[in-house]
Amino acid sequence: MNSDEGPGRNLSASGRRPATLLTHAGRDPHSFHGFVNPPVVRASTVLFASADEMKNRRTSRYSYGLTNTPTIEALNGAWTELEGAATTVLVPSGLAAVTVAILASVSAGEEILVPDNVYGPTRAFCNGTLKRLGIGTTFYDPMDLASLKEALKNGARAVFAEAPGSLTFEFPDLQEILDAAAAADAVTMIDNTWATPLIYRPIEHGFDLSIQASTKYVGGHADLMLGSISASEKMATRLMRTHRELGVQAGPDEIYLGLRGMRTMKVRLEQHERQALEVAKWVGERAQVKRLLHPAFPSCPGHENWRRFFGRSCGLFAFELDGDGAMAERFLDSLKLFGLGFSWGGFESLASYGELTEQRTVKPWTGGPVVRLHIGLEDIADQIADLEGAFAALAE
Ligand SMILES: *Cc1c(COP(=O)(O)O)cnc(C)c1O
């Protein structure tokens, strides 16, 4: 894995490479007695020196804890550089990053296009709150963009993308999505949680908004809920206004954990990637596995797109069992090292299984039950031994 080569790993505006940005951006030791890390500023009130300063607070760097503090600035600044974006806002969860990005992009009477394999709660937001606000959602097949192009011709104003798709990992042709949206002058956004800006930098490729569930690899330790949205020049003002009006700033201690996690994200991600590739290869060779759903393997739909746009991966993938839901549950119940739980990106291995029937409305899922694994940082031999035990239990 050659660290900084390939698509999406260009130099930042400051000329620093990603690994250097991760370790140095967002801190200035000598402005705080030489301490390596910045202090956490917990704040609501900011005092003004005069009535005049109070009146002109819009021009002050700091005026209220909700809008800006040195802590907010530290992560915002670092993440903006890493994304190659015009600006970044922080929110209390990855889901809030999704919803604020969408609310910044569409208005009553407009329509947004969302992939059929989108993260489940994103679908729920579209079908719930967004619908109530008079904003329509059309779900599209991420692997056949004809319906997306048709909807754009008919006036859809925004396109949401996710790569690879949640749970089933199909990888869409991102350039085709961007080209179709550009031709219709529609706003584009992508949930980039799986890749992080270390693998793919959406803004540089033409997306208007890049969404990150920082809860996952940025935090990295299963102890943080945090999200961010970065914007291109075109959407920067709109995003900042929406974020400010909604009042959904992230908390200072969460932001600090985000900054702290960011410092080691590259080495963690590379280790997750390496171990997941090895475990996935082993999983793909099991007799009970019908199909390996890891974009780096040819069995995964859109593998060629993954090669073209990402070329690298993380610790999260899935596989389809040759059996039924009861078999998937038996598999999960036989695991001892892998925990059963949602979220991912932490140091520990996780497994999950959920029915896909209600999560696919464009193209019903006709495959076997899908088990999702997050490969943590345990010894790989122990990880494989645990999975081996669970596969053996299926044969009993
Ligand atoms: C987990 C996840 C989210 C939501 O993040 P939370 O911090 O858990 O709200 C959004 N998108 C994707 C792809 C995710 O996996």
Side-chain angles (χ1 to χ4, degrees):
M1 209 162 348
N2 196 344
S3 53
D4 296 328
E5 302 303 318
R9 280 172 293 285
N10 307 328
L11 298 182
S12 82
S14 66
R16 288 179 167 175
R17 293 168 175 80
T20 310
L21 285 176
L22 287 178
T23 45
H24 285 265
R27 59 190 190 84
D28 181 13
H30 295 291
S31 70
F32 189 65
H33 313 293
F35 291 106
V36 168
N37 290 293
V40 178
V41 176
R42 298 185 186 82
S44 53
T45 303
V46 177
L47 298 178
F48 301 102
S50 65
D52 185 59
E53 201 181 280
M54 188 174 218
K55 189 172 73 184
N56 295 311
R57 63 188 171 279
R58 294 258 175 259
T59 59
S60 303
R61 183 166 173 189
Y62 309 116
S63 59
Y64 192 51
L66 188 66
T67 49
N68 199 23
T69 65
T71 304
I72 293 168
E73 252 173 8
L75 185 53
N76 269 356
W79 203 257
T80 297
E81 268 203 80
L82 191 68
E83 293 265 9
T87 195
T88 297
V89 298
L90 304 174
V91 288
S93 70
L95 181 55
V98 167
T99 61
V100 171
I102 293 175
L103 289 172
S105 307
V106 278
S107 307
E110 294 182 346
E111 182 191 353
I112 185 169
L113 305 176
V114 174
D116 202 27
N117 56 1
V118 77
Y119 175 63
T122 301
R123 177 185 288 270
F125 172 74
C126 293
N127 289 335
T129 301
L130 216 54
K131 186 174 175 193
R132 189 169 54 70
L133 295 176
I135 298 161
T137 303
T138 298
F139 291 94
Y140 65 88
D141 181 348
M143 304 312 289
D144 174 1
L145 300 173
S147 67
L148 172 127
K149 290 174 184 167
E150 186 64 25
L152 282 167
K153 281 200 191 99
N154 293 332
R157 294 308 308 140
V159 180
F160 192 101
E162 191 176 326
S166 268
L167 306 178
T168 44
F169 297 86
E170 301 92 343
F171 204 108
D173 185 334
L174 295 174
Q175 194 58 51
E176 205 178 335
I177 292 175
L178 283 167
D179 290 346
D185 199 26
V187 176
T188 50
M189 68 204 88
I190 183 168
D191 184 332
N192 196 42
T193 301
W194 193 86
T196 83
L198 291 179
I199 295 178
Y200 185 72
R201 296 213 275 191
I203 306 295
E204 290 182 355
H205 289 272
F207 279 97
D208 296 309
L209 299 169
S210 171
I211 295 160
Q212 187 68 34
S214 322
T215 303
K216 312 289 167 54
Y217 285 120
V218 179
H221 293 73
D223 56 2
L224 172 66
M225 302 291 314
L226 187 69
S228 72
I229 312 153
S230 300
S232 65
E233 204 61 64
K234 178 177 134 190
M235 281 298 287
T237 305
R238 187 77 174 265
L239 175 68
M240 288 189 292
R241 274 200 69 167
T242 306
H243 178 252
R244 177 185 283 233
E245 287 168 7
L246 288 170
V248 283
Q249 188 58 264
D253 295 295
E254 282 70 25
I255 296 172
Y256 184 81
L257 284 176
L259 270 171
R260 191 184 208 271
M262 190 184 83
R263 307 297 177 205
T264 57
M265 185 170 81
K266 188 163 184 288
V267 284
R268 286 186 286 103
L269 195 63
E270 287 174 359
Q271 186 67 20
H272 284 291
E273 171 182 39
R274 215 167 4 247
Q275 295 196 196
L277 286 170
E278 201 173 322
V279 172
K281 181 171 181 295
W282 182 89
V283 164
E285 289 162 356
R286 297 309 99 195
Q288 301 101 324
V289 172
K290 199 155 115 188
R291 193 162 52 144
L292 179 62
L293 299 171
H294 185 312
F297 290 80
S299 57
C300 189
H303 166 67
E304 289 305 320
N305 292 328
W306 170 82
R307 282 175 62 123
R308 182 171 160 214
F309 300 109
F310 284 12
R312 293 192 33 216
S313 54
C314 66
L316 190 78
F317 68 94
F319 61 89
E320 206 182 315
L321 274 171
D322 196 2
D324 57 11
M327 184 182 183
E329 286 177 9
R330 211 159 359 115
F331 182 86
L332 257 56
D333 282 333
S334 307
L335 292 166
K336 294 184 177 70
L337 184 67
F338 280 71
L340 308 187
F342 296 109
S343 204
W344 46 278
F347 52 79
E348 81 296 11
S349 288
L350 296 172
S352 66
Y353 161 69
E355 290 279 357
L356 282 166
T357 35
E358 290 188 1
Q359 306 231 22
R360 300 288 181 271
T361 50
V362 175
K363 215 170 150 191
W365 181 256
T366 53
V370 173
V371 173
R372 189 182 77 176
L373 299 179
H374 178 254
I375 305 305
L377 303 176
E378 302 91 345
D379 192 291
I380 196 163
D382 291 330
Q383 293 170 334
I384 288 182
D386 195 38
L387 294 169
E388 189 160 32
F391 278 118
L394 296 182
E396 280 165 13

